Each structure stands twice: as C-alpha cells, then as structure tokens.
Amino acid sequence: MNFLTIGHRGVMGVEPENTLRSFVAAQEAGLDVIELDLHLSKDGALVVMHDTDVDRTTDGTGAIAEKTLAELRALDAGRGERVPVFEEVLEAVSTPLQAEIKDVQAARALAEVMNRRGLADRVEVSSFHDEAIAEIKPLVPGVRTALIASRYGTDIVDRAVEAGAATVCLNIRRLTLEIVERARKADLRIIGWVVNTQDHLRLVRAFGLDGATTDHPDIKRTCRFTA
C-alpha cells in the first residue's frame, strides 16, 4: 500500500476546519484521504464538528447535542462557511474519508448512512473510544476501522486488536519503536498524527509508518514519500 497523506479536518492549517471549503481544498491539494469528525445534533443530524460544543469553531456558544440542525446551520463556521452534515461532504468531494466518531450514538447513525449508500470501501471509521469501534463493526459489513490514541503505551496494540481495528492512529510525539514493532506483529497499519514539520516527516520515515495526518497540504507537495 502506498504511503497515505491524510488531511486533518480537511486542511485546517489554512482553511476553517471541518467545513466544505476545507474538504474541497484538501481534495484539490491531492491529499489521499480526508479526516473529519462527527457528532449528533439535538434532532439526530450527523454533523461535522470536532468539539462537543460550538464555541471554538463558530460564532455561537453551547453544546452541539443541545442544538438542532437549523440552529447549527445559522452559525458561521469560519469565512462564512456553515456547519455541514456528513452527507454533504460525500457530495462535495470524491476523496476517501476517515470519519471519527465520538460516541456509540454517532456510530449507529453513521452505520445507517454507510449501509444505505454503500460506503464501506470509501469510508474508514475511527475513534478514540474502543466501544465505538466495536459497536460499528457488526453494523457495517466489511467496514474498516481505526483506533486513535494521544496518550498511550504498548497496550494500544492489544486494545486495537480487541476492538477489531485494522489501524492505529497515534500521536507522533509519543510513538516509540517498541510500539511500532508490536503493531507490525499484530498486522496493524500505523498512521502518525499530527505531522506538520520536517522533523515529524523524518520521524515518520524512520519508523516506516503507513501514513501521516497533517494540517497542511504542503506535506503532500514535498513529494518525499515513497510507497
């Protein structure tokens, strides 16, 4: 498999994160995969936002779960962009997606969309939560899943295997050769995040990782990665 460059919330280093504008820019930059985050609105819409509240990324305040889709749509998500729903992203770009789910409820809603639209080949499902990964696997035949971790030890490999994940997405700043070797022995694919500097690129190459999640399209343009 070729080395994958994954656009973090689109290209959040240069465009408002988790917006259609950011996702289109990631596709135009030639990134291999686009990563996004999913939450449920008060009325059950699968909306694309990272935080549990809207305060940081919009001109509004309050929890996503306490707002209807119409209320979320009224917010400015940066440069006049609106909070998108997942299916809008599917229409806006053709690039493969890595969809991060925050809880079991979002897993079930995503599974419904994936089955209805036949997305098992296009969408990899990721989460920091083992139970969310375990929840979606039996709901979507053939789904590819990834366990994400920021602070972790060698136990991350056992957790990924137990949850049925095929990939681990790991904070590059905490990655060790021991963890890489254990993951390889378990036949896990390894993605490093967030890779935004030349030093991080060199570390990714030294570890022989399968891909890198980045905020900046320039990571792709360096053309320094090989299969």
Side-chain angles (χ1 to χ4, degrees):
M1 180 178 290
N2 293 335
F3 187 94
L4 295 175
T5 49
I6 303 170
H8 193 210
R9 306 175 204 169
V11 283
M12 64 175 288
V14 295
E15 296 289 358
E17 68 178 63
N18 278 325
T19 62
L20 296 184
R21 178 185 179 120
S22 189
F23 300 140
V24 170
Q27 177 166 281
E28 291 177 345
L31 295 174
D32 302 303
V33 179
I34 296 172
E35 186 267 353
L36 53 80
D37 307 277
L38 298 174
H39 284 276
L40 288 181
S41 67
K42 183 178 181 179
D43 48 353
L46 199 57
V47 296
V48 184
M49 294 191 77
H50 179 271
D51 301 353
T52 56
D53 59 59
V54 303
D55 299 49
R56 180 179 62 84
T57 58
T58 78
D59 59 350
T61 59
I64 296 171
E66 295 176 0
K67 295 183 181 297
T68 65
L69 178 58
E71 290 171 327
L72 292 169
R73 290 287 207 196
L75 304 176
D76 186 333
R79 301 187 183 179
E81 289 290 304
R82 300 300 163 188
V83 176
V85 295
F86 180 60
E87 293 197 63
E88 287 178 319
V89 182
L90 296 172
E91 300 299 332
V93 296
S94 58
T95 301
L97 303 175
Q98 184 185 81
E100 181 184 336
I101 48 178
K102 302 299 185 179
D103 53 39
V104 170
Q105 288 71 32
R108 293 170 183 161
L110 177 59
E112 190 278 325
V113 176
M114 290 185 67
N115 286 327
R116 173 163 44 84
R117 299 188 58 148
L119 298 174
D121 289 337
R122 182 181 173 193
V123 177
E124 178 181 54
V125 180
S126 64
S127 184
F128 279 90
H129 306 291
D130 308 42
E131 63 274 14
I133 293 298
E135 177 76 15
I136 201 166
K137 281 198 67 72
L139 298 178
V140 182
V143 67
R144 294 168 294 118
T145 57
L147 183 63
I148 314 170
S150 178
R151 300 178 64 84
Y152 56 90
T154 54
D155 65 309
I156 189 62
V157 174
D158 294 333
R159 286 175 51 201
V161 171
E162 179 68 23
T167 299
V168 284
C169 300
L170 303 176
N171 180 351
I172 194 70
R173 295 164 184 80
R174 297 182 64 88
L175 193 57
T176 66
L177 182 59
E178 181 184 8
I179 291 171
V180 170
E181 290 175 343
R182 287 194 179 209
R184 293 304 185 203
K185 288 179 181 177
D187 293 323
L188 295 173
R189 188 174 65 161
I190 312 169
I191 304 296
W193 62 268
V194 175
V195 178
N196 288 336
T197 68
Q198 291 299 316
D199 284 344
H200 290 153
L201 283 174
R202 284 189 283 271
L203 188 58
V204 162
R205 289 174 65 88
F207 279 136
L209 303 190
D210 299 289
T213 300
T214 182
D215 296 337
H216 299 289
D218 289 345
I219 293 299
K220 179 70 174 183
R221 295 177 189 146
T222 62
C223 298
R224 297 187 178 185
F225 295 124
T226 57

